[in-house]
């Protein structure tokens, strides 16, 4: 009998947990979809700024990679010259 009660309690807990998770997900989804027209221009500006920052970072990384590649080429040339002796 005690085992049945524990099993029922566990099943009730799981049902409650599942219901709570669904409710929270639904509320969060509804909250995220409530973007007002006044928020939209600000959000677009934030997205544009973030994209510009990402582009700047990508350009800096590309420059660093190019510099590393040039250093590797010089190092390899030096190694080849040393091996030629």
């Amino acid at each position: 009998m005690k085992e049945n009660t524990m099993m029922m309690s566990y099943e009730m807990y799981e049902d409650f947990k599942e219901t709570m998770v669904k409710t929270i997900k639904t509320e969060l989804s509804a909250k995220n979809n409530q973007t007002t027209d006044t928020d939209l221009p600000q959000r677009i500006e934030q997205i544009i700024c973030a994209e510009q920052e990402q582009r700047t970072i990508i350009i800096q990384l590309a420059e660093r990679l190019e510099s590393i590649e040039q250093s590797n080429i010089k190092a390899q040339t030096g190694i080849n010259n040393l091996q030629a002796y």
Side-chain angles (χ1 to χ4, degrees):
M1 178 96 168
K2 192 173 188 179
E3 189 175 300
N4 287 341
T5 304
M6 282 186 62
M7 192 60 167
M8 246 176 89
S9 295
Y10 179 76
E11 289 175 2
M12 290 172 62
Y13 164 75
E14 287 297 321
D15 288 345
F16 175 75
K17 184 175 79 170
E18 187 177 322
T19 302
M20 291 302 294
V21 168
K22 285 180 183 178
T23 302
I24 290 169
K25 284 182 179 179
T26 302
E27 288 180 4
L28 287 174
S29 177
K31 195 174 194 178
N32 289 336
N33 289 333
Q34 290 180 350
T35 305
T36 61
D37 290 339
T38 57
D39 293 341
L40 193 57
Q42 182 181 11
R43 183 67 184 129
I44 291 172
E45 186 176 332
Q46 290 173 346
I47 291 170
I48 290 171
C49 287
E51 186 176 312
Q52 288 173 346
E53 288 174 10
Q54 289 174 351
R55 284 184 183 174
T56 301
I57 291 169
I58 290 171
I59 289 170
Q60 290 172 348
L61 288 173
E63 290 170 351
R64 288 180 185 171
L65 285 173
E66 186 176 334
S67 174
I68 290 170
E69 186 177 348
Q70 293 298 323
S71 294
N72 286 341
I73 290 171
K74 288 179 184 177
Q76 188 61 46
T77 302
I79 290 170
N80 291 342
N81 288 339
L82 286 174
Q83 289 176 344
Y85 285 109

